[in-house]
Amino acid sequence: MMSLSKLKRWLAVGACAAAVALPAQAEKTYRLKMAETWPTNFPVFGDASRNMAAMAEKMSNGRLKITIDSKNKHKAPLGVFDMVRAGQYDMGHSASYYWKGKVPATLYFTTMPFGMTAPEQYSWFYHGGGMELMEKVYSKYNVLSFPGGNTGNQMGGWFQKEINSLEDLKGLKMRIPGFAGEVLAKLGASPTNIPAGELYTALERRTIDALEWVGPSLDLRMGFHKIAPYYYTGWHEPATELQFMINKRSWDRLPEDLQEILRVSIRTAAYDMYIQSYHESAKNLEIIENEFPNVKIRSFPEDVMAALRQANQDLLTEKAKEDPLAKEILESQANYLKTVRRWTDISDKAYLNSIAQ
Ligand code: CA
């Protein structure tokens, strides 16, 4: 049996070894590479990824360093999911609906036409089962996905002509990508997708009759207000949520405290982007209205909205029939919307209606 003095010496040596070993372990630096879909220094969206990386580094006292490659560097803005999945990058900042061609159920984690507003959708993600469903979709690909910043309600777009009836949608050439484009196509419009850099010229030269981009937060710098007189309110992207992705192996390599720092940085950066978008939209709308009084803000007529809503519903029914996972997600969203919208109606909506002049 070890004598007491021996035991004391042994413990002291052990404690000393631990004292030496622990700080070395604690100071190990973890480096992650992130690919973003956006160009270098892209406002708002790019601010969110930079904010996230800066917060993570500061909170970890420099132990977690995230470098960001913009699309100018990696040249694959719509390849971010594949690059993260393959481990070529540890992380990505993008939007889930870009992957619907590869994994159809990823469509539902960005925004849906006639769907939830940003606060409603955040509630669904974090308290209504959304995160669990997103995990169900992404875990098959060895990827973790988190909400990555919200644009808020997007505008319905810039139009050369006023939309007075369903007839005006027939043959309308509009840049409107994704699911909303499919909805419009059902009503006889011709949706197209055109790269951002070519949008202004396409609208100016009437190659297209209309386009949607984001909202005043990002539309102002594109200059569309100078060349199209009608700015329509939205229906198609009520709460566009970006996405942070992490390769599961890269995540598992991090110690628990850095995982938590990363999780908190992501959640904070997402919230910051939502309020930054709100601020930028408010400020830029004021500029558009003050400096370009000829811009007319309109909402689509009731019958057009009713037809869009019906076309949307028909398409969702088709998607649910094709894929049981889509059905599960759509049912979760529809059920949650029923509960949460009732609250929105008698809180924010009732408040705004009751104080209206
Ligand atoms: Ca958009």
Side-chain angles (χ1 to χ4, degrees), residues 97 154-155 175 177 212-214 236-237 240:
Y97 62 3
Q154 294 205 0
M155 288 293 282
R175 182 272 179 191
E212 73 81 47
W213 185 236
V214 178
H236 64 306
E237 295 197 57
T240 307

Side-chain angles (χ1 to χ4, degrees), residues 77-109:
L78 300 180
V80 172
F81 172 64
D82 282 338
M83 293 192 293
V84 172
R85 185 179 153 187
Q88 194 179 336
Y89 279 91
D90 304 291
M91 296 185 69
H93 191 224
S94 193
S96 189
Y97 62 3
Y98 292 142
W99 326 126
K100 76 180 176 94
K102 295 170 190 292
V103 183
T106 54
L107 169 68
Y108 309 105
F109 301 104

Side-chain angles (χ1 to χ4, degrees), residues 80-81 84-85 90-99 103 105-110 122 124-126 129-149 241-249 251 262-263 266-267 270:
V80 172
F81 172 64
V84 172
R85 185 179 153 187
D90 304 291
M91 296 185 69
H93 191 224
S94 193
S96 189
Y97 62 3
Y98 292 142
W99 326 126
V103 183
T106 54
L107 169 68
Y108 309 105
F109 301 104
T110 305
Y122 274 130
W124 176 70
F125 271 124
Y126 283 109
M131 289 300 285
E132 290 78 3
L133 287 166
M134 186 150 69
E135 192 186 344
K136 199 167 177 179
V137 171
Y138 278 90
S139 61
K140 282 187 201 127
Y141 304 92
N142 216 23
V143 167
L144 302 174
S145 174
F146 297 89
E241 185 69 42
L242 305 184
Q243 162 198 48
F244 281 111
M245 279 179 283
I246 310 171
N247 178 290
K248 182 74 169 45
R249 282 184 301 270
W251 174 263
L262 194 52
R263 201 195 303 272
I266 283 172
R267 197 155 165 175

